[in-house]
Amino acid sequence: MNIKQMVRKNILETPPSGIRKYFDMVNEMEDVISLGIGEPDFETPWTIREEGIYSLERGKTHYSSNAGFIELRREISNYMNNRFGLKYDPKDEILVTVGGSEAIDISIRTFVGPGDEVIVPEPSFVAYKGCVMFAGATPVTVELKAEDRFKLKPEQIVNAITDKTKAIIIGYPNNPTGATMDYDDYKAIVEVLKDKDIIVISDELYAELTYEGKHVSIAQFPEMKDRTIVINGFSKAFAMTGWRIGYACGPADALEQMKKIHQYALMCSPTTAQYAAIEALKNGEPEVRRMVEEYNRRRLVMVDGFRKIGLNCFEPLGAFYVFPDIRVSGLSSDEFCERLLMQERVLMVPGNAFGACGEGFVRATYATSIDNIREALVRMRRFLESL
Ligand SMILES: Cc1ncc(COP(=O)(O)O)c(C=O)c1O
């Protein structure tokens, strides 16, 4: 049997993440400064780790309820209310998932299938398009523009909507651009979406990593709350990527259906992580503030540094990424990243890994030390001068 021939067409047609190639290359090299990996360089704060360890010591090693421990859902509910003024009932409007990743996947699979279209603004997190394709639906790309500071514009949505449009995935603060959307930006797109039968999947994993003003959720608009699934998690804010825990908030009628996929495919999210997450929400706030302050310091050094070596970049106000324009180099994004890695041992990710319209840009993360950032800038200056 040719087993590959047995694989569903839409799985075969989904390309693997464009980032992987670079990580494979780096594994065989020494002295590389990585500005490539999208995860906090901090370890999970100690009291959070301790709570996970303590739960294991007490033998808390069993399944939780499918939706997650009610105590955790209560903490999530308090957090959403205190931070964003969003009220979700812990009983049936919150689902604890295996990372924001699972929440993205099951919210797409619950609503879309073959014949449906999903609007996916790009550049954006690589999983969105993949999950839409796994569901058998068609991603319809909207190209975000540097001159719009990579914000989503109402006319772009209007132009992308067809009678097949079932959902739109919005991800701010954005990976890879670091762009954010403020109240007025959302107000404009709410005008387009508020009376359409289109589900909004709002990925707010980087909500805590907002450096100017306050994070705005599209669900804060009363017209939108009943048609929006808000996705959040612990990976970025609390430096908990390896714990695999996140959550979805939304109308009970939607979550009840999403919970079926979660129940049959995953059962529940890891219980050790759930105990740790309760501690994170109860007492983790000062540690989050400390990490965000440090990211902010690095953000300013990196943006200033890129500009000084001649790379144009708009000021990213969220997440932990900078997305400089590398077109002055005369190289494509791929050539730029490959040559920079081989010549100067600095790893960045080509912008087109996040959608074709990311061509001409690269993603650099400042989830690394200031010393690494400064050294990377010295090496990049030398690289640009060598061209
Ligand atoms: C925008 C965005 N959403 C979701 C995720 C997934 O995060 P999690 O670790 O919670 O699955 C990531 C991870 O990089 C991300 O960048």
Side-chain angles (χ1 to χ4, degrees):
M1 181 174 71
N2 179 346
I3 204 156
K4 205 167 168 190
Q5 276 179 355
M6 306 292 282
V7 176
R8 284 170 61 209
K9 193 163 164 282
N10 53 333
I11 310 292
L12 281 175
E13 283 174 357
T14 308
S17 164
I19 305 178
R20 204 179 53 181
K21 168 178 129 188
Y22 289 89
F23 296 137
D24 291 347
M25 280 161 78
V26 163
N27 282 340
E28 291 165 16
M29 294 168 84
E30 280 174 14
D31 186 33
V32 173
I33 297 182
S34 175
L35 308 179
I37 298 176
E39 72 166 328
D41 56 321
F42 298 108
E43 277 153 13
T44 307
W46 171 243
T47 57
I48 301 175
R49 275 185 276 159
E50 197 175 30
E51 205 51 43
I53 295 166
Y54 184 48
S55 76
L56 290 173
E57 282 177 350
R58 284 178 298 153
K60 303 282 188 186
T61 55
H62 302 274
Y63 296 130
S64 71
S65 64
N66 296 129
F69 289 125
I70 187 67
E71 190 186 355
L72 175 55
R73 283 181 279 143
R74 281 199 197 104
E75 288 300 330
I76 292 169
S77 175
N78 290 340
Y79 167 81
M80 294 300 282
N81 190 20
N82 297 340
R83 292 290 284 155
F84 315 117
L86 284 168
K87 290 196 183 347
Y88 291 104
D89 188 335
K91 189 164 54 69
D92 52 12
E93 294 184 320
I94 295 170
L95 177 63
V96 179
T97 54
V98 181
S101 300
E102 186 210 341
I104 293 166
D105 178 39
I106 64 175
S107 54
I108 293 170
R109 278 199 282 157
T110 297
F111 291 103
V112 310
D116 294 330
E117 290 179 357
V118 179
I119 300 177
V120 182
E122 285 184 338
S124 59
F125 181 44
V126 288
Y128 301 155
K129 228 168 158 175
C131 288
V132 171
M133 292 175 77
F134 293 154
T138 306
V140 174
T141 304
V142 161
E143 297 194 350
L144 303 173
K145 303 230 166 0
E147 57 266 33
D148 295 331
R149 304 170 66 79
F150 294 105
K151 291 170 189 280
L152 179 59
K153 296 285 170 184
E155 58 278 11
Q156 293 181 303
I157 303 179
V158 171
N159 291 338
I161 291 176
T162 71
D163 54 6
K164 292 182 183 159
T165 308
K166 197 73 184 290
I168 177 168
I169 307 175
I170 299 178
Y172 290 97
N174 181 267
N175 170 11
T177 62
T180 52
M181 294 268 281
D182 61 24
Y183 180 85
D184 289 336
D185 299 323
Y186 274 123
K187 195 161 188 288
I189 66 171
V190 165
E191 285 309 310
V192 177
L193 291 168
K194 68 181 184 192
D195 51 9
K196 305 262 189 319
D197 284 342
I198 294 176
I199 300 292
V200 176
I201 298 169
S202 182
D203 176 357
E204 304 179 21
L205 254 285
Y206 295 93
E208 287 293 337
L209 278 57
T210 299
Y211 306 103
E212 225 177 76
K214 253 185 110 172
H215 170 76
V216 179
S217 169
I218 191 167
Q220 287 166 333
F221 290 79
E223 312 92 302
M224 299 305 296
K225 186 155 177 273
D226 284 350
R227 53 185 75 225
T228 301
I229 309 293
V230 174
I231 290 165
N232 206 329
F234 296 83
S235 288
K236 314 295 174 171
F238 296 96
M240 289 177 71
T241 44
W243 296 77
R244 306 314 303 131
I245 184 159
Y247 51 93
C249 303
D253 282 342
L255 286 227
E256 191 186 348
Q257 305 308 316
M258 285 166 58
K259 195 164 80 181
K260 287 192 216 162
I261 310 183
H262 172 75
Q263 181 176 53
Y264 289 135
L266 280 316
M267 188 72 91
C268 65
S269 88
T271 40
T272 313
Q274 293 193 50
Y275 286 111
I278 293 169
E279 167 64 17
L281 290 176
K282 273 190 173 153
N283 300 310
E285 167 81 16
E287 284 297 308
V288 174
R289 296 279 71 81
R290 187 181 64 77
M291 290 187 276
V292 171
E293 242 172 67
E294 179 59 22
Y295 288 135
N296 195 26
R297 205 162 70 90
R298 300 167 179 183
R299 177 181 73 98
L300 299 170
V301 169
M302 191 180 263
V303 170
D304 186 51
F306 282 152
R307 287 179 180 160
K308 282 195 175 128
I309 62 174
L311 296 181
N312 234 335
C313 67
F314 91 103
E315 189 182 342
L317 297 179
F320 39 49
Y321 307 106
V322 182
F323 204 60
D325 183 336
I326 50 92
R327 283 173 291 189
V328 283
S329 68
L331 302 175
S332 70
S333 297
D334 254 313
E335 286 166 342
F336 188 94
C337 290
E338 219 168 306
R339 285 179 58 175
L340 178 64
L341 181 60
M342 300 318 274
Q343 224 172 293
E344 290 292 351
R345 314 225 162 222
V346 174
L347 173 67
M348 304 209 295
V349 179
N352 56 331
F354 306 93
C357 63
E359 178 54 51
F361 297 83
V362 296
R363 186 190 79 174
T365 173
Y366 45 88
T368 188
S369 68
I370 288 263
D371 286 349
N372 274 349
I373 294 170
R374 290 197 206 282
E375 174 60 20
L377 286 164
V378 169
R379 296 184 188 191
M380 283 179 70
R381 179 191 291 276
R382 204 161 50 209
F383 171 68
L384 287 168
E385 284 169 359
S386 77
L387 294 175

